[in-house]
Amino acid sequence: MAYDYGSDSKTFDVANPYKLQNRLHFVAASALLVAGLYSLWQTRSLVQAEAGARWVAPLVCSVGLLVAGLWLAAVAASRLRFFFGRGRPVSLAPELATGTYGSSRAADALKETMRHGALTYPEPQGALEGLLYDRIPHLITAPLALQHQAKSHFFNLVALSATLASFVFAWGLFGDPASRPWVSLIYGVFGVFFLLRPVNDDNSAPIGTTPIVFLILAAVLAPVVLNAIGSKLPPLGGYSMHMQVFALLFGALAVVALALAATLAQVTPPPQTRTSSELTRVNLQAPPATLVDELERVMQEQWTERVPNRRYSRLEPLTPLTEKSGSFSGELLEESQPVPRAGMVVTDFQSALSANTHRWLVLSDLLCTVMLIAASIMVVAFISAFDPRAPLAGSAMSLVGSALIFGMVARFGLRNAALLWGRFDFTSEITWVEMQGTYQVSRIGTGNQLSSQMQTQSDIVRVESMTLRVWRARLESVVFGKDNSRQVTALFSTDTEAKVLLERLVHFGKGQSVIAAPQAVEDQRRLAQIGQSSQALAAAVGVSAVPAAGLLAQASVSTAPTVALAAAMKFCTACGAKAPVEARFCPACGSAIGA
């Protein structure tokens, strides 16, 4: 599956990262759909038997299985063809369109990262984060998405463990047959709304000093309080939710623990953060904007697979000729097209299980698939044993409740695994060139000012000791999901490339010409006509003229004005013949020549 850039190179080819998870999605979807169709057929029999409104519960369960199966199949089908289109992965800062100027806060932050050669990460907050980062020291330099996932899973793991311990004490140790149904109901509601809902919303369960104290008090005092007020509570008919609570807590604990292990498996040692920086002083006899133009040409020569660079900042060094002197500053910040790193994606279960970064992901997906299959079996068992004439038994409700809990927990596990499966690492080159200095506007003239043949004048911008800096680095970045934000994870210096770029810019700047001379073919043709006219005039007055071909070459050589040579001759007023300037009589007709 190509990178969608129309290139014949295989540089941008990326294997489908969701290939293994798609297979498990289709397995679970098949189980849900088969169970849903079978349940719907059973419900049809209940409707035909005129069971009244009692068939609504089986119908809802059947439709739920069908919807869940179709949703899983649709998710897997939408990821069968995976490719990066143009503009992916997302840029590190807003891009500038061609011909536009400006910058952005994100570009300024990127420049500060290159200037300092360091990556910034948030500090841990609170006791639990301090414990997590103390046990996993390298987590502090992990991508922010991994840090967020690790903290959420760790918080949820602590909250679920504390709730499970509290429930075991309250229901098993301190409870009795009268209080246990209410204890299980209270913990079931607490688990769904305060634990499972935040987990499915990709948030952290509210865990801290207050919730822990509340769980301890609930474990010890809840059975006593329920026994004291038991006579005032409505009877539950012996129905207990302890099976659903245990299914919720143990299932969620297993999935969250695997999710935390899969997240921490992708944490690597601290990355390298080094950038290359070259600095020099340059004297120019040309506008500094010419260096920016040359820099753009160099950047275009270095495009990756002919894909245009991503321009994040361009500030033109303005040197207006209306001002005799002033200061200027300019810069150009570009990143080459990010290239996916090889070996990121595993395509079979054996390779995934042998790779530490993917082993826990496969196990988490397998557990979620088993949970979904178990949920579908529970629903089928409920509908198969459903008797419309008998009241709903506690065991039947336990099956439906446990199936619903397994489905919710599996949904969380599959979604979290999809985020980690969608990790992509990229490499790119980033270049930042900045220039600062002062300028003066001067005028330079070329040629003999007394000659009528060739003179030129130019207004030039003269720059003394301009500061020219070149920052360059090879970036490593990561993105979780092709449309999500990308984060820089490492910086590697490229000293040789930075020096070569600086030398080329300096050489180009010093090679600029300050003399204006015609170069077009039309200019050469017109100069030839002027030369022919000069030769005819010189022949008329009897002096040698500059050849037409040598007008441009001799523009700076001092020559006697043609008008002055013509004024040095005398002409007879009678016959028009020319005579020497000192002659008093015409040598042709003998007439007197006036002074």
Side-chain angles (χ1 to χ4, degrees):
M1 284 164 283
Y3 207 76
D4 196 29
Y5 274 114
S7 174
D8 296 333
S9 174
K10 300 299 182 182
T11 304
F12 300 115
D13 285 357
V14 181
N16 191 345
Y18 302 107
K19 183 177 181 180
L20 300 183
Q21 193 181 48
N22 282 343
R23 295 179 180 177
L24 295 177
H25 269 53
F26 281 124
V27 171
S30 300
L32 291 171
L33 289 174
V34 170
L37 292 175
Y38 176 79
S39 300
L40 192 61
W41 179 264
Q42 294 293 104
T43 305
R44 178 175 176 269
S45 302
L46 295 176
V47 175
Q48 291 177 345
E50 298 181 357
R54 299 295 301 277
W55 52 265
V56 174
L59 179 61
V60 172
C61 294
S62 302
V63 173
L65 289 176
L66 291 175
V67 171
L70 291 175
W71 176 77
L72 273 179
V75 171
S78 65
R79 301 183 309 194
L80 287 177
R81 294 290 297 174
F82 181 87
F83 61 91
F84 281 94
R86 289 186 179 271
R88 291 192 177 99
V90 297
S91 299
L92 298 173
E95 295 186 44
L96 295 179
T98 303
T100 59
Y101 305 92
S103 185
S104 63
R105 291 184 178 180
D108 294 338
L110 188 58
K111 288 182 286 187
E112 288 301 313
T113 298
M114 296 187 63
R115 188 190 305 274
H116 296 287
L119 302 175
T120 304
Y121 298 96
E123 296 183 6
Q125 303 291 329
L128 288 180
E129 287 191 18
L131 176 62
L132 175 63
Y133 283 90
D134 179 70
R135 295 295 88 193
I136 314 294
H138 294 165
L139 183 61
I140 191 65
T141 57
L144 296 180
L146 286 183
Q147 293 192 39
H148 173 73
Q149 291 297 314
K151 290 187 291 186
S152 297
H153 299 332
F154 183 68
F155 280 29
N156 294 330
L157 189 65
V158 172
L160 289 169
S161 301
T163 305
L164 177 60
S166 177
F167 177 69
V168 168
F169 276 93
W171 186 84
L173 186 60
F174 301 113
D176 54 31
S179 62
R180 282 176 179 173
W182 280 101
V183 169
S184 61
L185 178 61
I186 293 173
Y187 274 88
V189 174
F190 175 82
V192 171
F193 287 96
F194 291 94
L195 298 179
L196 196 58
R197 185 176 56 84
V199 166
N200 272 278
D201 292 340
D202 198 20
N203 295 321
S204 300
I207 188 65
T209 304
T210 302
I212 290 178
V213 171
F214 171 77
L215 291 173
I216 295 175
L217 292 176
V220 178
L221 300 179
V224 178
V225 174
L226 290 174
N227 288 332
I229 62 174
S231 59
K232 300 180 180 180
L233 296 175
L236 296 178
Y239 174 72
S240 178
M241 291 183 59
H242 64 279
M243 292 300 298
Q244 291 93 320
V245 175
F246 278 118
L248 185 153
L249 295 177
F250 279 110
L253 267 175
V255 172
V256 170
L258 287 176
L260 179 61
T263 302
L264 296 180
Q266 299 201 9
V267 176
T268 58
Q272 183 178 5
T273 56
R274 287 192 56 194
T275 59
S276 298
S277 175
E278 297 293 333
L279 172 66
T280 189
R281 293 183 298 175
V282 183
N283 297 330
L284 292 178
Q285 302 295 328
T290 57
L291 289 184
V292 179
D293 296 336
E294 175 65 11
L295 178 60
E296 286 189 344
R297 288 187 285 268
V298 176
M299 292 292 99
Q300 184 170 351
E301 294 173 0
Q302 299 176 357
W303 284 358
T304 301
E305 296 293 337
R306 296 178 296 179
V307 179
N309 290 347
R310 302 180 176 196
R311 181 175 299 172
Y312 300 142
S313 177
R314 174 171 177 172
L315 301 178
E316 192 76 6
L318 301 178
T319 55
L321 298 179
T322 55
E323 302 289 339
K324 295 300 182 181
S325 62
S327 60
F328 64 89
S329 63
E331 66 177 13
L332 184 67
L333 175 64
E334 288 190 359
E335 181 194 13
S336 64
Q337 172 62 39
V339 178
R341 291 170 56 186
M344 296 184 301
V345 180
V346 292
T347 56
D348 57 84
F349 286 102
Q350 183 177 0
S351 301
L353 291 173
S354 61
N356 184 52
T357 55
H358 296 88
R359 181 184 303 118
W360 299 107
L361 281 177
V362 174
L363 294 178
S364 178
D365 283 341
L366 285 173
L367 177 59
C368 294
T369 303
V370 171
M371 283 186 172
L372 291 175
I373 295 176
S376 62
I377 294 175
M378 291 177 184
V379 175
V380 170
F382 164 72
I383 297 178
S384 299
F386 182 79
D387 187 357
R389 293 175 295 275
L392 291 176
S395 58
M397 295 300 297
S398 297
L399 287 175
V400 176
S402 299
L404 180 61
I405 290 173
F406 279 175
M408 297 176 65
V409 173
R411 173 180 176 270
F412 158 75
L414 292 175
R415 186 181 61 182
N416 176 77
L419 176 69
L420 297 180
W421 281 117
R423 172 176 179 167
F424 290 94
D425 294 274
F426 296 89
T427 59
S428 58
E429 306 286 338
I430 189 166
T431 304
W432 175 33
V433 178
E434 58 176 347
M435 54 193 70
Q436 294 178 344
T438 59
Y439 73 97
Q440 292 181 348
V441 177
S442 303
R443 174 166 294 185
I444 182 172
T446 305
N448 194 333
Q449 300 300 318
L450 299 178
S451 172
S452 62
Q453 295 178 354
M454 191 70 177
Q455 303 97 29
T456 62
Q457 288 185 347
S458 301
D459 290 330
I460 65 170
V461 175
R462 185 165 58 89
V463 177
E464 297 288 345
S465 300
M466 179 189 71
T467 301
L468 180 63
R469 295 186 183 91
V470 174
W471 307 82
R472 203 175 186 280
R474 179 172 64 86
L475 294 184
E476 287 189 358
S477 54
V478 64
V479 60
F480 292 87
K482 60 182 181 180
D483 293 321
N484 294 331
S485 59
R486 183 162 55 102
Q487 180 188 351
V488 178
T489 57
L491 297 168
F492 297 89
S493 59
T494 56
D495 296 336
T496 302
E497 291 81 357
K499 291 180 180 178
V500 171
L501 178 58
L502 182 69
E503 292 175 357
R504 177 165 177 176
L505 293 177
V506 171
H507 177 75
F508 175 82
K510 292 183 177 181
Q512 297 303 296
S513 174
V514 299
I515 298 177
Q519 297 180 355
V521 176
E522 181 63 21
D523 291 334
Q524 301 294 339
R525 185 185 66 80
R526 296 186 181 186
L527 285 175
Q529 291 181 349
I530 295 175
Q532 293 175 0
S533 301
S534 299
Q535 287 182 340
L537 179 60
V541 298
V543 296
S544 61
V546 180
L551 279 177
L552 184 59
Q554 300 182 17
S556 61
V557 180
S558 299
T559 57
T562 306
V563 177
L565 290 176
M569 304 297 296
K570 284 187 177 181
F571 297 90
C572 177
T573 57
C575 65
K578 59 183 178 180
V581 66
E582 65 276 5
R584 299 178 62 184
F585 298 94
C586 176
C589 64
S591 302
I593 301 177

